[in-house]
Structures are given as C-alpha cells and as structure tokens.
C-alpha cells in the first residue's frame, strides 16, 4: 500500500515530461509503446448471426470514404468559410517548427516568473481544447498543490466560457491578492463572453499594475482583423495568432492551445509530435490501416442504421475532459441541415449508476464509444480485511488492484451494452502523456471532417453558433444590431406566454 506521503505519479510524470521530449520526432520505442488503438470488436460481432455492421459492409463502404479523404487532402469540396478553405489543420502538424514552440516557451516562461495565477479567457474552440488537455495531463487539484509540485507553473484558471456571475465571482475570489497574467483568445475578437471577461480582468490588472498591466497580457487572435487585434496593437500586448484557415474547434494545435499548455508546464513539443504521428498514420488511403477512416465509417453507418446518440464514456476523470472536447467538435461540425449524432460525455462508473440504465435498456438509438485509459499514472492496493464482511478479499488475494477494477469499468459495460443492443467501439489510450493526447485530437479532427464530407455538408463552419451570437448582440442592444433586437423582441412579444 503506497503511503499517502509518497509522490503522486501524475506529479512525477508532469515534472519529468516537461523538458524531456523536446523533440518533434520521438524514438521508435516511445512511439511504439504509445500507439492509440481502435477496437471495433463490439461493432463487427456477433460472428454467428447478423452483426451490427459487418466487415463486408465496411469493405463496400470503404471506396466512398477513401474518396472523401482524397478530396479533403486535395482541398476539394465544401470546406470554405467565406473565401478561405478551412483545411489548415491538416498540414499544421508538419508545419509547426521547433523554433516556434521554443518561442512560445520563452514567452510563457518569462510571464510565468512574474505571476502566481494564469487566466485563459475564451469560449468554444478558444477554450475547450486547452482545458481538456490541461486536465488530461495534470493533477486533479493542480491549483491547490504547492508551486513546486506544479512543476513551477502558476495556478491555471479559465474564464469567458460562460457568463454566470457566481462562477465569475468565485474565480475572482481565487485570484485575489495574486499576481495575474492573462491570455485572451478570440479568433473573431468579438465574442461577447470572452470580451466581457477580458474587460473585467484587464481592469483588475490595470488597478494592480497601472501602466505595466499590458506586459502581463497575451492576446491570441486573428493576425490582421477584429477588435482584439486593434486593442493589441494599441496597447502593445504580446500577441499570438489564430491562423485564418483553421477554425476554432480545430485550433488546439495552434497558438490557441499551445500558449496555455506551455504555461501549465505541458510538453508542447511532445504534444505536436503526437499530432504528427497520427497524421502519418492516417494519411494513407488503405481503409483498414487508417483508424480515422474506420472510425468515421462506423459512425456514419451507425447513424444510417438509426443511432442518433453517441455516449462517449471513459474510465478516467482526466480523460473525461476529452469527451467534453468531443462534445464540441462533433456536434458543431456534424449538426448541420438536420443531420448529426448527439454526443453525450460520460464518466464511468459514475454514470453507470445514472443514465447507464437508459444505455442498457432504453430506446435503441444509442451507440457508444469508450475512451479507455489503459494505464493510469497511479495504482492503489485494496486492503485485505480480516472480517471480509464486504466480501472483497478475493480482489487483493488475487493481486487485483484498483487499476484492475477500473479496466472492468470499460470491459463490463462494453459487453453488457453490446448484448443490450448498443454497438460500441473503444479507443485505447495507452497512458496520460502529451503525445497520446495529440494523437487522439488529430484522429478525431480527421474523422469529423470525413463525417461532414460523407454527410454532404461543410463541417468547418458553424452557422448555428453564429445565429445565437447574433441574437445575443441584438438582444443586448449592441450598436449596429438594434433593429434586429427590435425584431426579436417583437417576435417574442407575439408568442403566447405560458408560465406555470
Ligand atoms: O469552433 C468554433 O469556431 C467556435 O466554437 C469558436 O471557437 C467559438 O465560438 C469562439 O469564437 P472566437 O474565438 O471567435 O471568440
């Protein structure tokens, strides 16, 4: 039984990883022991009767997806936002240079020395990937650890992802009396939630540091246009760029994600190497060796066969954050023109004791994807108890630790749900490191892009999100939007109110 005073392996890993890889091409041993795998056993079975999807069906479908893959790689198809083809994410892993990553680390290293707490401001694609990666790779109670155990990183907070005044206020309480640094991230530079958060935090910094405040602010935005770019120029903030040809939800490998991750002491070289590795693995046109194509094909055929909800479940609370990232990139890219699968993030066992009943036995419109963390950072022995009233001694007596039980949290439901009519696949993530998280992101980016192409719509725009942003501007009375505001209020005024 490890003493509670022994160092947590998440802390050790964080310390050892920062500064360890620093190579965009890790050696073969590292790469081979960190290969993400896709298990579709519970899709292709049962072998002796009709499987949910057969290998033959996938073989027949393969040419269609190979063709969409070719079109994506060659920049064909419905991929533009305005005039810009939004395919920059495809070549990013190869384009990012070690020098650029070093430059980010130099800036964040310098800022880190001057602050106690770092606040990342942003929403949607300007937030989710950063928080997901941060939580996937660091200690659950990161901010409560002594700075040394955080590998020297400042505390890390996120704001601008909602407008809840209580959440906002509670976060400000945590920042009281601390030296703060900011990264405000908005590609458009006009998103209301981020802009409000920035205004509040900027004022705090100005009150604290006066003319020195701009030195503690980083802005990450469009290279040329938008309100945030103008503010940056005027105030001389240190600035980074969201490339014009990369959409928010595909931007975690741009400066949008990299700056915050470097600030938290995460190895951004290794992270990039993970993207590169998965790009290489999924660039080819052989269907069965391309896990992004197989993943996309299974989801597409499942949707055609009536599966409208995808429960994305995991056995790791760190990896759970990746399911939240999936909850954005899939619905925002797939949910167009009446099409799409609802993504429902789930942490198991917790949810097995909640909506697990529905998954097992409710309407059969559900498929399931497990993100299995194969090896946790830590393990715990289960003590032998001389009374054994709970009957658990069989576990420690057979050398079964908590990690063993935590794998069953995938194996058990995968089998039971499959038997109950929920076909499922499992993405095996070997362990928590930046390389694996990078691989995972690129696989999903490619899969969702293929999904949009297969469905026949542009997966790189989000007119639905823009619609709510416009309605918010109008209802708030933003100058230039007043007449739309009047129209919306009129429409609301014509509705028959009913409040019970
Ligand atoms: O994926 C997207 O494009 C969106 O989720 C955006 O990232 C989100 O709306 C934030 O936009 P912006 O960075 O312009 O503030």
């Amino acid at each position: 039984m490890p003493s509670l005073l022994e160092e947590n392996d998440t802390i050790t890993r964080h310390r050892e990883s920062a500064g360890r890889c620093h190579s965009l091409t890790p050696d073969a041993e590292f790469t081979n022991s960190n290969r993400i795998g896709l298990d579709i056993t519970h899709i292709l079975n049962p072998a002796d009767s009709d499987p949910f999807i057969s290998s033959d069906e996938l073989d027949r479908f393969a040419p269609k997806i190979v063709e969409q893959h070719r079109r994506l790689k060659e920049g064909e198809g419905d991929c533009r936002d305005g005039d810009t083809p939004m395919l920059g994410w495809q070549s990013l892993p190869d384009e990012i240079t070690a020098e650029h990553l070093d430059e980010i680390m130099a800036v964040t290293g310098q800022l880190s020395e001057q602050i106690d707490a770092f606040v990342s401001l942003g929403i949607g694609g300007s937030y989710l990937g950063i928080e997901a990666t941060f939580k996937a790779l660091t200690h659950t109670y990161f901010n409560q650890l002594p700075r040394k155990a955080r590998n020297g990183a400042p505390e890390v907070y996120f704001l601008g992802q909602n407008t809840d005044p209580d959440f906002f206020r509670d976060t400000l309480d945590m920042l009281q009396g601390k030296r703060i640094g900011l990264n405000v991230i908005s590609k458009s530079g006009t998103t209301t939630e981020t802009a409000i958060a920035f205004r509040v935090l900027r004022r705090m910094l100005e009150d604290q540091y006066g003319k020195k405040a701009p030195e503690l602010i980083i802005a990450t935005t469009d290279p040329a246009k938008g309100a945030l770019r103008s503010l940056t120029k005027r105030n001389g903030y240190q600035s980074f760029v969201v490339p014009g040809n990369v959409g928010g939800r595909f931007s975690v490998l741009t400066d949008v994600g990299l700056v915050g991750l470097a600030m938290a002491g995460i190895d951004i070289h290794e992270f990039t190497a993970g993207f590169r590795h998965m790009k290489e693995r999924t660039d080819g046109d052989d269907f069965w060796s391309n896990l992004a194509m197989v993943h996309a094909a299974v989801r597409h055929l499942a949707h055609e066969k009536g599966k409208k909800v995808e429960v994305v479940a995991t056995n790791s609370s760190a990896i759970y954050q990746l399911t939240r990232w999936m909850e954005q990139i899939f619905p925002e890219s797939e949910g167009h023109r009446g099409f799409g699968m609802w993504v429902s993030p789930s942490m198991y066992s917790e949810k097995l004791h909640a909506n697990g009943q529905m998954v097992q036995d409710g309407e059969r419109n559900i498929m399931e994807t497990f993100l299995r963390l194969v090896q946790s950072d830590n393990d715990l022995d289960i003590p032998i108890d001389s009374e054994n009233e709970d009957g658990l001694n069989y576990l420690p007596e057979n050398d079964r630790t908590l990690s063993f039980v935590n794998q069953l949290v995938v194996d058990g439901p995968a089998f039971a749900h499959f038997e109950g009519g929920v076909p499922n696949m499992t993405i095996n993530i070997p362990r928590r490191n930046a390389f694996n998280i990078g691989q995972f992101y690129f696989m999903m980016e490619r899969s969702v892009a293929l999904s949009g192409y297969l469905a026949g719509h542009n997966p790189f725009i989000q007119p639905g999100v823009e619609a709510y942003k416009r309605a918010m501007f109008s209802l708030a009375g933003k100058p230039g939007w007043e007449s739309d505001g009047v129209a919306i209020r009129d429409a609301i005024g014509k509705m028959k109110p009913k409040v019970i």
Side-chain angles (χ1 to χ4, degrees):
M1 179 82 178
S3 142
L4 289 177
L5 296 176
E6 266 177 34
E7 189 169 75
N8 180 321
D9 281 346
T10 301
I11 294 174
T12 317
R13 177 181 50 70
H14 189 210
R15 184 176 56 237
E16 287 175 355
S17 75
R20 178 178 53 77
C21 177
H22 286 320
S23 156
L24 294 178
T25 43
D27 62 35
E29 193 191 333
F30 177 83
T31 306
N32 290 337
S33 61
N34 286 289
R35 276 170 77 85
I36 282 191
L38 175 66
D39 181 343
I40 56 169
T41 308
H42 289 133
I43 298 289
L44 299 182
N45 277 287
D48 50 1
S49 60
D50 280 350
F52 177 60
I53 300 172
S54 68
S55 294
D56 287 350
E57 256 176 298
L58 283 168
D59 279 335
R60 284 194 299 277
F61 189 71
K64 277 192 200 155
I65 199 161
V66 169
E67 170 58 7
Q68 298 309 333
H69 190 218
R70 182 198 65 72
R71 294 175 77 224
L72 267 170
K73 286 192 296 181
E74 292 178 11
E76 293 174 15
D78 193 2
C79 62
R80 286 170 192 270
D81 190 355
D83 291 337
T84 313
M86 301 302 288
L87 295 173
W89 58 273
Q90 293 192 114
S91 47
L92 258 182
D94 293 333
E95 283 167 7
I96 291 188
T97 61
E99 290 69 36
H100 182 60
L101 299 175
D102 291 343
E103 185 199 332
I104 291 176
M105 286 180 65
V107 171
T108 55
Q110 216 178 27
L111 181 58
S112 174
E113 282 171 14
Q114 303 173 60
I115 61 176
D116 306 312
F118 170 72
V119 193
S120 185
L121 307 178
I123 191 168
S126 295
Y127 150 65
L128 276 159
I130 317 162
E131 188 183 56
T133 316
F134 166 66
K135 292 201 165 165
L137 294 176
T138 60
H139 191 284
T140 307
Y141 303 103
F142 186 83
N143 288 344
Q144 282 137 277
L145 294 174
R147 188 153 185 164
K148 193 162 165 258
R150 296 197 303 262
N151 200 21
E155 294 171 17
V156 176
Y157 295 90
F158 295 89
L159 270 176
Q161 73 277 44
N162 62 55
T163 49
D164 172 4
D166 289 339
F167 174 76
F168 215 111
R169 172 58 213 251
D170 292 354
T171 309
L172 294 184
D173 283 349
M174 291 299 105
L175 299 174
Q176 283 299 322
K178 291 178 184 154
R179 299 171 304 154
I180 306 162
L182 300 182
N183 184 17
V184 50
I185 311 164
S186 178
K187 183 174 184 185
S188 62
T190 53
T191 303
T192 309
E193 294 86 340
T194 310
I196 293 175
F198 184 39
R199 188 176 273 218
V200 174
L201 270 283
R202 200 165 70 222
R203 176 62 55 84
M204 257 176 96
L205 278 180
E206 283 162 0
D207 290 349
Q208 215 176 350
Y209 295 105
K211 287 206 171 81
K212 257 182 75 87
E215 292 170 25
L216 301 163
I217 297 175
I218 299 174
T220 306
T221 188
D222 186 276
K225 55 181 195 296
L228 188 53
R229 180 55 61 194
S230 334
L231 261 173
T232 301
K233 280 190 191 142
R234 198 168 60 244
N235 296 321
Y237 304 141
Q238 177 78 50
S239 92
F240 286 97
V241 160
V242 192
N245 63 355
V246 180
R249 56 195 173 278
F250 290 81
S251 71
V252 64
L253 187 64
T254 68
D255 295 346
V256 167
L258 294 170
V259 172
L261 298 181
M263 190 58 92
I266 287 165
D267 185 341
I268 55 176
H269 294 71
E270 187 183 296
F271 185 59
T272 308
F275 273 81
R276 267 192 193 182
H277 179 66
M278 185 55 77
K279 176 176 182 303
E280 221 176 275
R281 278 183 77 188
T282 58
D283 261 348
D285 289 336
D286 175 45
F287 175 74
W288 285 106
S289 35
N290 185 324
L291 54 179
M293 278 206 267
V294 175
H295 182 257
V298 167
R299 288 181 79 260
H300 186 83
L301 292 175
H303 185 265
E304 276 186 354
K305 290 172 187 243
K307 302 301 183 189
K308 306 299 179 204
V309 176
E310 182 185 24
V311 171
V312 182
T314 179
N315 60 340
S316 155
S317 56
I319 297 299
Y320 173 68
Q321 306 302 326
L322 300 183
T323 72
R324 294 200 342 115
W325 177 82
M326 283 176 77
E327 186 188 21
Q328 181 201 25
I329 195 162
F330 280 90
E332 203 166 285
S333 309
E334 282 183 338
H336 294 241
R337 300 195 214 140
F339 180 84
M341 187 130 69
W342 180 257
V343 170
S344 171
S346 272
M347 171 70 199
Y348 285 176
S349 296
E350 273 176 52
K351 286 286 177 74
L352 291 170
H353 295 253
N355 60 16
Q357 170 63 34
M358 172 83 109
V359 179
Q360 184 71 43
D361 208 21
E363 190 175 341
R364 301 299 68 193
N365 59 355
I366 300 173
M367 71 165 290
E368 195 172 27
T369 300
F370 291 96
L371 306 189
R372 181 207 293 270
L373 179 64
V374 177
Q375 191 185 322
S376 311
D377 285 337
N378 295 282
D379 197 0
L380 284 181
D381 288 335
I382 299 162
I384 294 203
D385 188 298
S386 57
E387 307 290 323
N388 196 26
E389 280 188 46
D390 52 14
L392 281 180
N393 275 359
Y394 76 98
L395 289 170
E397 280 165 6
N398 289 294
D399 293 327
R400 307 302 199 197
T401 61
L402 193 58
S403 280
F404 170 82
V405 179
N406 201 42
Q407 292 305 312
L408 302 185
V409 160
V410 173
D411 295 333
F415 180 74
H417 294 168
F418 163 73
E419 292 275 284
V422 175
N424 56 73
M425 52 186 163
T426 298
I427 298 171
N428 288 311
I429 301 174
R431 55 184 64 78
R432 292 167 64 189
N433 64 32
F435 185 73
N436 288 332
I437 307 303
Q439 282 186 74
F440 173 79
Y441 283 143
F442 193 80
M443 174 182 164
M444 293 299 123
E445 288 176 359
R446 191 155 242 170
S447 172
V448 79
L450 286 166
S451 171
Y453 267 40
L454 286 168
H457 66 245
N458 181 344
F460 307 113
I461 53 172
Q462 53 289 324
V465 176
E466 307 309 334
Y468 111 81
K469 285 186 182 177
R470 284 195 301 276
M472 284 254 300
F473 291 160
S474 311
L475 287 168
K478 185 170 177 163
W481 296 83
E482 297 90 339
S483 57
D484 288 32
V486 170
I488 293 177
R489 284 186 205 287
D490 274 359
I492 294 172
K494 283 185 191 137
M495 293 177 191
K496 269 198 218 149
K498 186 169 175 84
V499 180
I500 297 164

